[in-house]
Amino acid sequence: MAFGIRLLRDGPVSDAHHLLLLAAGALRTTDVARSREASVHACLAAWSAGDRDGYLTALDALCPPTAPTDGRPPAAERDDPVEAFWRAYRDGMHSVLHGDFVRANALLGPILTVLRAQQDTSRLLSAGTIALMLGDLAAARQVLGLALATARCEATPTFLPRVLEHLAYAELREGRYHQARVHAQAGLEAADEHPQRNVTAGLSAVLALAASIAGDPDEVATHAQSALHIAHAHGLGQTRTLAEWARARADLGHGNAEHAAARLAPLVHEGPRQGHFGLWMMAVPCYVEATVLAGHDADEDVADLIDQYARWAARGADPQAPAVVLRCRALVADGEHSEDLFTAALARHEQVDSPYEHARTHLAYGMWLRRRRRFVEARAQLRYAVMGFDQCGADVWTKQADAELRAAGETPTAVPAPLSGTGPLALLTPQQQRIAHSVAQGATNREVARQLSISTRTVEYHLRNIFTHLGVRSRVALARRLEPEPPPPATSDRAGRGRIEVQPVRPAP
């Protein structure tokens, strides 16, 4: 069993799963407690691998049936509190995997209460994991915070990185990106002292996810590559899903919706590259948004994914999900029905403390309003988005919301002002002015789209209107049209006492 546990932390997790199941079977008749310990670790190995069937097999090994006759365990087992505890754990986790969160809460809630009352790192870590599975993010963060304190007090080096990994992930789920980065970085430092490559890969994936919201693309790439290097070698399905999701979210946050959609498609569709069985559903909203921003038609495939996500959300798997479902439906809805859905989504957000997802909905609604030239209403939504992203440390999205605010005619921060002018220039909208200026400086349509967080199709549409308004037919002619007027000749006073230079007024970049 010891070798299986070592592989779970620093080796191929499928090998760990097989070894631990063998150990559980061998110990079942001689040492039930150690047999169950091996089964729990086998569950962890299967979860890390993304092996749903292996996870269920390991769960069943916790409480193997003993000649049932009426579908109920023997009386001796029913009266044994230890047996009852493990049966509830097994059946509760079965319910989680089958999407029955009402039954899962009924079975696992008392277990969570028992575990969180014990000042033991291992049990508190288990309690935090259960809370994450049930979608109780506030409880998960609280319990894992206690686990971190006990791990530091007990000086248990093998537990500390794992606790920090789970705590950082819980903070990510709640949209607390600054805290998640701090704890994940501390986990990497702790793991360096006692090498656990699988834990290191998980921490790197969490850092990549945090950086995708609050960092730059190079930072995301570095952490994601570190995670994927180990994930591919050791079969870490959970880590691979998180790292790929991080790369897609970075693409989306920096305006590259096409790449984001391409990265996410394998994770959310059936096939050999499908995401982790317990996590892939959480990537669906990003995929929906990426396909819409990339200008792809909302086909039946996307609608079916939204329906699947809605069924998952209705089971209570994530407190933020019901509002996110409404946002997804608003993004793909036809006509003015979108507005009712956006409004309903914002009302649902008010019921849950989820600043990041709340801000994402304000941003999506503000963009929808701006594209319908309802600039006053759009600016109100976009200001809320900026404040929400700033509150949770989502710096990448703060910049995107700022760009949308500028496009809607407002300058919320110290950014370059839009072009000014008379005649045809005055007819351009602020967004058209920025596109015209970028194109005149030699930017491609794709580069302009990334800079302004819009699709290339939108850039092409605006560019056609710009050409029409300014009476030009090419990018070269546009650049010439935007050149400043030449300065008037220098003049001197009649007595020749000097010259007064008149400088041209240049448009702001």
Side-chain angles (χ1 to χ4, degrees):
M1 184 170 73
F3 186 49
I5 294 174
R6 196 178 320 135
L7 286 177
L8 173 61
R9 296 171 182 163
D10 194 13
V13 287
S14 60
D15 294 352
H17 177 255
H18 295 312
L19 280 170
L20 290 163
L21 276 182
L22 286 173
L27 292 167
R28 188 168 297 147
T29 57
T30 58
D31 192 334
V32 175
R34 293 193 67 215
S35 173
R36 284 185 170 135
E37 182 184 356
S39 296
V40 168
H41 282 98
C43 288
L44 295 175
W47 183 274
S48 296
D51 180 1
R52 187 179 188 275
D53 291 338
Y55 186 83
L56 291 171
T57 300
L59 274 180
D60 290 339
L62 285 168
C63 299
T66 54
T69 56
D70 57 357
R72 303 174 64 200
E77 291 187 12
R78 292 200 302 271
D79 297 336
D80 186 340
V82 175
E83 289 292 332
F85 177 95
W86 286 108
R87 278 201 314 275
Y89 178 82
R90 177 199 63 192
D91 295 345
M93 288 301 182
H94 266 284
S95 298
V96 169
L97 262 63
H98 290 96
D100 187 351
F101 284 91
V102 173
R103 184 167 186 261
N105 273 284
L107 290 166
L108 295 175
I111 292 176
L112 178 57
T113 301
V114 169
L115 291 174
R116 69 190 299 179
Q118 302 181 34
Q119 299 300 308
D120 175 84
T121 303
S122 176
R123 287 170 173 78
L124 288 170
L125 178 57
S126 296
T129 303
I130 291 171
L132 280 172
M133 298 276 273
L134 295 176
D136 190 346
L137 303 181
R141 208 161 52 84
Q142 181 187 38
V143 172
L144 291 167
L146 288 172
L148 177 60
T150 57
R152 284 173 168 158
C153 290
E154 295 169 0
T156 49
T158 57
F159 275 118
L160 185 57
R162 291 171 57 201
V163 171
L164 286 163
E165 177 189 4
H166 283 73
L167 177 57
Y169 179 68
E171 288 164 340
L172 276 180
R173 291 276 304 276
E174 273 203 311
R176 302 173 188 276
Y177 294 99
H178 286 318
Q179 297 97 315
R181 294 180 83 178
V182 169
H183 283 130
Q185 191 61 55
L188 279 181
E189 293 169 2
D192 283 344
E193 298 177 8
H194 302 274
Q196 303 177 50
R197 283 177 293 177
N198 295 351
V199 179
T200 297
L203 286 160
S204 295
V206 170
L207 273 172
L209 270 171
S212 71
I213 300 302
D216 59 59
D218 290 340
E219 184 182 358
V220 177
T222 298
H223 292 309
Q225 287 167 5
S226 296
L228 290 169
H229 176 72
I230 301 171
H232 290 315
H234 290 179
L236 305 174
Q238 178 183 12
T239 296
R240 180 184 66 82
T241 296
L242 294 176
E244 293 287 4
W245 186 22
R247 297 204 294 184
R249 290 212 304 185
D251 287 334
L252 187 59
H254 290 281
N256 198 341
E258 288 277 3
H259 277 188
R263 287 192 195 279
L264 287 167
L267 295 183
V268 299
H269 292 103
E270 292 185 3
R273 292 179 58 201
Q274 185 177 25
H276 187 278
F277 65 88
L279 304 176
W280 72 270
M281 192 62 70
M282 288 185 287
V284 167
C286 279
Y287 176 70
V288 172
E289 187 168 348
T291 57
V292 170
L293 290 177
H296 299 167
D297 293 332
D299 55 18
E300 292 183 3
D301 174 61
V302 172
D304 181 60
L305 280 172
I306 295 175
D307 288 341
Q308 289 185 59
Y309 183 77
R311 289 192 291 272
W312 177 78
R315 293 166 179 162
D318 189 324
Q320 308 166 109
V324 177
V325 170
L326 292 166
R327 182 178 76 219
C328 289
R329 295 202 187 283
L331 287 169
V332 301
D334 294 327
E336 297 306 307
H337 185 46
S338 291
E339 185 155 21
D340 293 336
L341 290 165
F342 276 126
T343 303
L346 290 172
R348 290 300 295 264
H349 278 303
E350 294 292 344
Q351 302 171 20
V352 180
D353 182 18
S354 57
Y356 171 70
E357 293 297 347
H358 200 159
R360 286 283 294 270
T361 301
H362 278 302
L363 175 60
Y365 186 23
M367 292 169 68
W368 185 88
L369 290 166
R370 185 180 70 74
R371 280 151 180 72
R372 283 152 184 79
R373 306 184 67 78
R374 293 164 59 180
F375 298 120
V376 174
E377 296 165 276
R379 288 196 291 269
Q381 295 298 325
L382 295 169
R383 289 187 203 107
Y384 283 125
V386 170
M387 290 187 290
F389 289 135
D390 187 61
Q391 174 190 344
C392 62
D395 300 339
V396 172
W397 288 90
T398 301
K399 293 176 183 177
Q400 186 172 144
D402 270 350
E404 285 290 329
L405 256 177
R406 295 196 299 273
E410 180 175 322
T411 305
T413 56
V415 297
L419 292 168
S420 59
T422 58
L425 279 176
L427 298 176
L428 300 183
T429 67
Q431 182 77 313
Q432 289 172 341
Q433 291 176 17
R434 288 186 170 78
I435 291 172
H437 180 66
S438 297
V439 169
Q441 289 185 323
T444 66
N445 288 0
R446 185 178 292 276
E447 289 168 341
V448 175
R450 290 183 184 179
Q451 177 186 351
L452 298 180
S453 302
I454 57 180
S455 70
T456 53
R457 190 176 298 180
T458 301
V459 174
E460 292 165 1
Y461 168 79
H462 282 308
L463 201 52
R464 286 195 296 271
N465 289 334
I466 290 166
F467 283 0
T468 300
H469 285 311
L470 300 185
V472 298
R473 296 184 178 181
S474 69
R475 303 168 89 92
V476 173
L478 173 63
R480 290 174 180 164
R481 180 68 179 81
L482 296 185
E483 286 179 353
E485 296 292 329
T491 59
S492 61
D493 62 17
R494 186 173 299 176
R497 286 191 294 269
R499 295 178 180 272
I500 301 174
E501 297 287 346
V502 181
Q503 298 294 333
V505 178
R506 297 180 180 274

